[in-house]
Amino acid sequence: MGLFDGVHAAGPVAALAGDAAWLRAMVDFEHALALACADVGLISAAEADAVLAATVTDVDDVGERAAAIGNPAGPLVRALTEQAGDAVHRGATSQDVLDTAMVLVAAQSLDALLGSLAAAADRVAELASAHAETVQVGRTLSQYAPPVTFGLVAAGWLTGLDAAADRLAGARSRLALQFGGAVGTLSSLGTQGLAVREALARRLGLPEPVLPWHTERTRVAELAGALALTAGAVGSVAQEIVRLCGSDIGELREDGPPGSGGSTAMPHKHNPVAAICASACARRVPGLASTVYASMAHEHQRSAGAWHAEWPAVQDLLVATGSAVHWLSTSLSRLVVDADRMRANLTAAGGTVFAERVTVALADKLGMTAARAAVTECAAADDFTEALTAHLDKAAIADLLDPAGYVGNAPEFVRRALAAHGGRTSNDT
């Protein structure tokens, strides 16, 4: 494990997208290609069996030898050929191996990531349902604002996570076989090129695209975009959890195992460490996605350098996003909501958080411009409530400053978010 892997390579995706997984996927491609060639009679069953018996597992050795040819497919093919003979790599080019390996790695990584994301969303749905009417002070531009409910806050998290899952599923469905040979024509396979391609797609369990996509990289960019969107949704939730766990707010806390959330210098601290790690991992993703977008422009039939740049970027995108989702799910599983502190913070915020409501009420008799000026003047006074008695009786003021009466459609919005999430879950099953 690397020095930072405990934070930045956490959860199941890290292993599924690691170097060993990529090498395994490259070997799987070569094995499936041999079987496909045997399926159409290009090689014998014995030759295919020999290829299947050959393998390469030394990541360090392949990585070191990759420098000679500019990609790891070259040393892999040489090593397999030394073991199994010339039946290896029929009709393929290095990019076919690397692109299909990337697809295989991405597919299994996305499956795990989608599972973790669904668990996180289900937990958020529980929070939204349980706290649909738990009143909380609203905050806009870091300033106090009219009240909301914590259920509405969680519902906003939920719709973001569900949207991210939809984008990931869409990117997952676009992953496809790459097999076109040197220039995307499969010319070295003669009349059997398309038959081998069809058999190879079937062997790998991948869709067969309309044509090879050596220089048409929308699939890769779509994957990067879906991962970046997911990281953004996760990072937003994590950042809000961190802020609401702060000492000055204290409306949430992570109740983790002993020793979690401590400080090397301040023994009194209890940091929301899982949310902090989720935020850290999510922040790495946009820069990685930009590398993929910058690599979309390919020249001629196969590019020099553009597809090479994608390998570590896509790998890191999968690991960073997977880690962010893992940490968010961990944070949500530990999360404790302090409804009493939410109410206390709302009370401590003072009646000015209802200034909008009071202004609307006063506008009926003063007009909106005069009402706004009057409430602005009252808000600047030492006692907002007392200042309002110049314009309203105390019963009316008490009614206007009742938090439960000014959360608008928050409960209905929560209901709609939960219904949409439930619909997605039932459709998935």
Side-chain angles (χ1 to χ4, degrees):
M1 178 175 288
L3 181 62
F4 304 114
D5 286 354
V7 172
H8 288 286
V13 175
L16 294 172
D19 289 349
W22 279 69
L23 183 57
R24 178 69 253 171
M26 292 167 64
V27 173
D28 288 344
F29 172 88
E30 296 293 352
H31 285 175
L33 178 56
L35 290 171
C37 288
D39 289 341
V40 303
L42 268 180
I43 64 174
S44 67
E47 288 175 308
D49 288 341
V51 176
L52 289 178
T55 192
V56 177
T57 59
D58 191 335
V59 171
D60 292 339
D61 181 65
V62 172
E64 182 179 351
R65 295 176 184 273
I69 191 174
N71 69 72
L76 172 73
V77 171
R78 282 197 297 273
L80 292 175
T81 301
E82 289 172 359
Q83 298 174 55
D86 293 337
V88 175
H89 202 61
R90 285 288 185 94
T93 190
S94 297
Q95 190 172 350
D96 293 332
V97 183
L98 267 300
D99 279 352
T100 301
M102 176 172 62
V103 165
L104 293 171
V105 166
Q108 62 183 3
S109 297
L110 288 182
D111 289 344
L113 203 160
L114 283 165
S116 296
L117 193 60
D122 287 345
R123 171 58 179 151
V124 169
E126 293 174 0
L127 291 170
S129 178
H131 296 280
E133 298 187 14
T134 300
V135 183
Q136 178 188 34
V137 65
R139 298 172 176 94
T140 65
L141 306 183
S142 296
Q143 304 293 310
Y144 286 148
V148 294
T149 70
F150 181 63
L152 180 61
V153 171
W157 299 350
L158 179 62
T159 56
L161 296 178
D162 281 347
D166 290 342
R167 284 291 298 274
L168 286 174
R172 172 70 171 83
S173 69
R174 283 260 290 151
L175 297 175
L177 172 72
Q178 177 72 288
F179 184 56
V183 291
T185 64
L186 293 176
S187 54
S188 69
L189 294 177
T191 60
Q192 293 177 299
L194 293 180
V196 173
R197 186 171 183 261
E198 181 181 356
L200 178 58
R202 185 178 65 253
R203 288 285 186 176
L204 289 172
L206 292 174
E208 185 182 357
V210 174
L211 71 164
W213 43 277
H214 290 139
T215 58
E216 196 279 279
R217 309 306 282 184
T218 55
R219 284 181 178 82
V220 188
E222 187 175 357
L223 172 63
L227 291 167
L229 185 147
T230 300
V234 167
S236 182
V237 178
Q239 194 63 23
E240 182 70 355
I241 291 173
V242 170
R243 188 69 187 92
L244 294 177
C245 285
S247 300
D248 55 336
I249 296 179
E251 295 175 357
L252 300 177
R253 74 175 188 277
E254 281 187 5
D255 189 10
S260 62
S263 166
T264 60
M266 294 167 282
H268 70 283
K269 291 189 71 178
H270 185 76
N271 298 312
V273 65
I276 290 169
C277 290
S279 178
C281 293
R283 289 172 189 269
R284 298 183 58 227
V285 172
L288 295 166
S290 70
T291 298
V292 175
Y293 291 136
S295 301
M296 283 190 72
H298 287 226
E299 74 283 354
H300 305 312
Q301 280 64 57
R302 291 183 43 236
S303 180
W307 55 284
H308 306 70
E310 292 170 349
W311 312 329
V314 170
Q315 182 182 51
D316 288 349
L317 272 167
L318 291 167
V319 173
T321 307
S323 297
V325 172
H326 165 79
W327 280 119
L328 179 64
S329 186
T330 300
S331 175
L332 291 167
S333 71
R334 299 173 177 178
L335 206 61
V336 176
V337 179
D338 191 337
D340 291 337
R341 182 64 177 265
M342 290 180 178
R343 172 67 72 162
N345 285 343
L346 182 57
T347 300
T352 54
V353 298
F354 300 98
E356 177 191 53
R357 187 183 193 187
V358 175
T359 299
V360 172
L362 275 180
D364 290 340
K365 64 177 183 176
L366 300 180
M368 182 58 73
T369 300
R372 189 181 300 277
V375 174
T376 299
E377 182 180 352
C378 291
D382 292 336
D383 189 330
F384 178 64
T385 303
E386 182 61 30
L388 286 177
T389 59
H391 306 282
L392 296 162
D393 61 55
K394 291 186 176 181
I397 293 170
D399 183 59
L400 289 171
L401 303 190
D402 177 12
Y406 201 58
V407 294
N409 294 295
E412 172 60 16
F413 285 141
V414 172
R415 187 197 66 76
R416 293 184 180 190
L418 292 172
H421 177 69
R424 291 180 72 264
T425 303
S426 62
N427 288 337
D428 290 342
T429 57

